[in-house]
């Protein structure tokens, strides 16, 4: 399973050493929501994601990039493998805990900026406003840390963090998860869900 760590990181980030180029090249994988990508992730990394959920891969946290790979398995992979089901969010608390411990040790600062993007996503995915405020702070710090030539790319990541926080600030939860999680939407949430871009 150790080889899966490096395989996942290479698959997720590719070979390019330019972070903006990575963000462009990998955008379809990261944000495309395509069934064929979900199926490919299930086939290649589904077993690793299950192992992460069972706490079998906790030893990966011994290195910053190993911790990042574990966060991907707990935060990103379930959203693809279990898309539109409650299992998509089932490992969110665990992903936050792994990220939180990494922040405490400074592991995130030993990663490339584009890797830090995914290290911080568990906070952006939280339905707790404290986590959301932390997410915005982390992405703000990340933006100031990147070279000027990459500011446009990383400013978009901060913009999305702010949008997520604003939804939690308004509703205390993500309305687009309500149907998946069997939650009743309020009239205000139903109106919101009719707006373009209301679902992340």
């Amino acid at each position: 399973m150790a080889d899966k760590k490096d395989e996942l990181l290479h698959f997720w980030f590719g070979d390019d050493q330019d972070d903006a180029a990575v963000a462009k090249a990998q955008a379809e994988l990261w944000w495309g929501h395509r069934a064929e990508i979900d199926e490919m992730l299930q086939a290649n990394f589904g077993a690793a994601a299950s192992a992460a959920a069972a706490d079998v891969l906790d030893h990966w946290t011994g290195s910053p990039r190993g911790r990042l790979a574990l966060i991907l398995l707990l935060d990103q992979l379930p959203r693809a493998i279990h898309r539109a089901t409650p299992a998509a969010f089932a490992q969110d608390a665990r992903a936050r805990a792994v990220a939180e411990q990494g922040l405490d040790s400074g592991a995130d600062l030993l990663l490339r900026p584009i890797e830090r993007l995914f290290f911080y996503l568990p906070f952006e995915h939280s339905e707790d406003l404290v986590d959301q405020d932390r997410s915005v702070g982390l992405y703000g710090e990340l933006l100031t840390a990147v070279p000027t030539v990459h500011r446009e790319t990383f400013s978009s990541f901060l913009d999305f963090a702010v949008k997520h926080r604003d939804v939690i600030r308004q509703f205390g939860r993500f309305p687009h998860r309500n149907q998946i999680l069997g939650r009743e939407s309020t009239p205000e949430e139903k109106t919101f869900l009719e707006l373009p871009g209301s679902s992340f």
Side-chain angles (χ1 to χ4, degrees):
M1 194 64 78
D3 291 343
K4 277 296 179 184
K5 173 178 61 179
D6 295 330
E7 182 184 344
L8 173 60
L9 290 170
H10 181 263
F11 182 81
W12 204 257
F13 296 104
D15 293 312
D16 206 305
Q17 295 304 302
D18 181 275
D19 283 355
V22 171
K24 183 176 181 180
Q26 302 296 96
E28 187 66 20
L29 167 64
W30 296 347
W31 325 119
H33 297 183
R34 288 170 49 194
E36 55 266 38
I37 293 177
D38 294 350
E39 292 167 2
M40 178 172 52
L41 289 171
Q42 167 66 59
N44 292 328
F45 303 108
S50 295
D55 300 335
V56 174
L57 302 180
D58 287 0
H59 60 283
W60 284 15
T61 61
S63 70
R65 297 193 83 234
R67 185 179 293 274
L68 172 63
L70 183 58
I71 290 171
L72 290 174
L73 289 177
L74 294 169
D75 180 77
Q76 289 295 295
L77 271 293
R79 283 170 162 73
I81 293 172
H82 305 294
R83 192 175 302 283
T85 73
F89 316 111
Q91 302 306 316
D92 281 9
R94 176 74 177 124
R96 283 195 305 276
V98 173
E100 178 81 43
Q101 292 159 7
L103 293 177
D104 289 344
S105 68
D108 58 312
L109 301 179
L110 300 176
L111 299 171
R112 290 172 56 181
I114 199 64
E115 295 173 333
R116 290 168 63 185
L117 164 66
F118 287 93
F119 204 100
Y120 303 150
L121 270 184
F123 301 103
E124 186 174 313
H125 289 154
S126 173
E127 292 189 313
D128 184 282
L129 185 56
V130 172
D131 290 332
Q132 287 294 328
D133 285 336
R134 187 166 199 182
S135 166
V136 171
L138 288 167
Y139 285 112
E141 292 171 6
L142 183 58
L143 177 60
T144 65
V146 300
T148 303
V149 69
H150 291 161
R151 291 284 171 84
E152 182 177 352
T153 296
F154 281 83
S155 67
S156 68
F157 302 144
L158 175 58
D159 288 345
F160 273 105
V162 171
K163 289 177 181 177
H164 280 73
R165 182 187 62 183
D166 288 349
V167 171
I168 296 301
R169 183 176 284 169
Q170 181 176 359
F171 298 108
R173 60 185 184 176
F174 291 118
H176 68 275
R177 295 184 188 177
N178 288 350
Q179 184 174 359
I180 296 170
L181 296 175
R183 303 187 306 208
E184 183 70 26
S185 293
T186 66
E188 293 77 14
E189 288 174 331
K190 290 177 181 177
T191 299
F192 172 76
L193 288 170
E194 293 175 357
L195 300 175
S198 60
S199 299
F200 298 108

